[in-house]
């Protein structure tokens, strides 16, 4: 019997039971009292927020699917956080801005086109399905970018670097696809045109 979500499942994916935890290395030690998020680079208003200041930005809730390059998908996650477009409006990217490098704890980075962050289904989240994210899943702040494989949904976000041009992040430098569209199976860099 097929899943009722089969039409939403990208090629090569399966519907997971639960929400598997995957990341490189051990989860970082997180102290919410000292956590900051900086916005920098090709912006008119460089800003550093404490966690409380960031969470005081206008909040939103959205329901979106989650697709991991390791082939699992989790449907209908309810995410709570701040829309990425709200954060970018605060930073005011300059005219030459084209991409964003997301920085996470322990030196993690991932790059995305600026336009991808401006989609209405992208947010910086700290809650899923009514509960705070666990540290293993990216608490205190995780990007949720539903139209890309999950390595683009950086965990433990502490920096938003707006760039005039593209630069590959951690996994992209190690052979993962620069765009990461799950519906066209953009998994590895050798698939790039």
């Amino acid at each position: 019997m097929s899943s009722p979500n089969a039409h939403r499942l990208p090629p090569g994916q399966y519907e997971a039971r639960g929400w598997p935890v995957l990341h490189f290395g051990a989860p970082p030690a997180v102290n919410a009292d000292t956590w900051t998020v900086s916005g920098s680079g090709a912006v008119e208003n460089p800003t550093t927020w404490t966690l409380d200041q960031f969470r005081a930005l206008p909040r939103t809730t959205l329901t979106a699917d989650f697709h991991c390059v390791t082939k699992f998908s989790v449907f209908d996650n309810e995410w709570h956080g701040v829309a990425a477009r709200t954060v970018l409006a605060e930073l005011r990217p300059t005219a030459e801005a084209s991409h964003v490098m997301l920085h996470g704890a322990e030196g993690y980075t991932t790059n995305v086109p600026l336009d991808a962050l401006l989609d209405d289904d992208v947010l910086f989240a700290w809650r899923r399905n009514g509960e705070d994210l666990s540290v293993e899943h990216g608490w205190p702040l995780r990007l949720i970018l539903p139209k890309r494989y999950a390595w683009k949904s950086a965990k433990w976000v502490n920096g938003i670097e707006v760039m005039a041009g593209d630069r590959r992040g951690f996994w992209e430098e190690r052979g993962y696809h620069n765009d990461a569209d799950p519906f066209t199976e953009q998994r590895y860099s050798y698939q790039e045109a």
Side-chain angles (χ1 to χ4, degrees):
M1 182 171 182
S2 70
S3 162
N5 295 317
H7 68 285
R8 293 162 52 196
L9 197 64
Q13 298 288 110
Y14 69 91
E15 186 174 356
R17 300 204 186 284
W19 188 22
V21 175
L22 295 170
H23 47 261
F24 182 81
V30 173
N31 182 340
D33 294 332
T34 60
W35 195 267
T36 60
V37 180
S38 63
S40 63
V43 297
E44 295 175 3
N45 185 33
T47 304
T48 298
W49 296 273
T50 66
L51 194 55
D52 287 342
Q53 289 168 333
F54 193 92
R55 291 181 178 182
L57 294 170
R59 298 176 183 187
T60 190
T61 299
L62 71 87
T63 300
D65 300 337
F66 184 90
H67 307 293
C68 184
V69 72
T70 62
K71 301 190 177 187
F72 75 82
S73 292
V74 180
F75 294 106
D76 299 321
N77 302 277
E78 184 182 84
W79 304 103
H80 181 79
V82 175
R85 59 174 47 172
T86 299
V87 176
L88 290 166
E90 292 280 323
L91 295 173
R92 297 193 312 269
T94 61
E96 61 272 2
S98 64
H99 289 76
V100 177
M101 184 70 76
L102 284 304
H103 295 263
E106 310 294 332
Y108 184 80
T109 56
T110 191
N111 57 312
V112 297
L114 177 61
D115 287 348
L117 284 189
L118 292 171
D119 279 351
D120 59 5
D121 65 349
V122 180
L123 78 160
F124 291 93
W126 56 88
R127 292 179 66 80
R128 175 184 172 266
N129 297 344
E131 297 182 4
D132 282 349
L133 294 174
S134 66
V135 172
E136 292 78 14
H137 280 301
W139 189 89
L141 195 63
R142 178 182 191 146
L143 179 71
I144 298 300
L145 188 64
K147 292 182 181 88
R148 307 293 170 116
Y149 282 122
W151 86 79
K152 296 284 190 180
S153 293
K155 297 180 181 181
W156 313 300
V157 173
N158 59 20
I160 304 160
E161 177 190 357
V162 180
M163 304 184 296
D166 196 12
R167 186 174 82 240
R168 291 179 183 257
F170 181 87
W171 285 117
E172 296 82 7
E173 287 182 338
R174 289 162 176 80
Y176 278 41
H177 200 286
N178 205 39
D179 294 325
D181 177 359
F183 285 92
T184 58
E185 289 196 272
Q186 294 177 332
R187 299 177 192 276
Y188 306 110
S189 60
Y190 72 80
Q191 297 169 309
E192 294 174 21

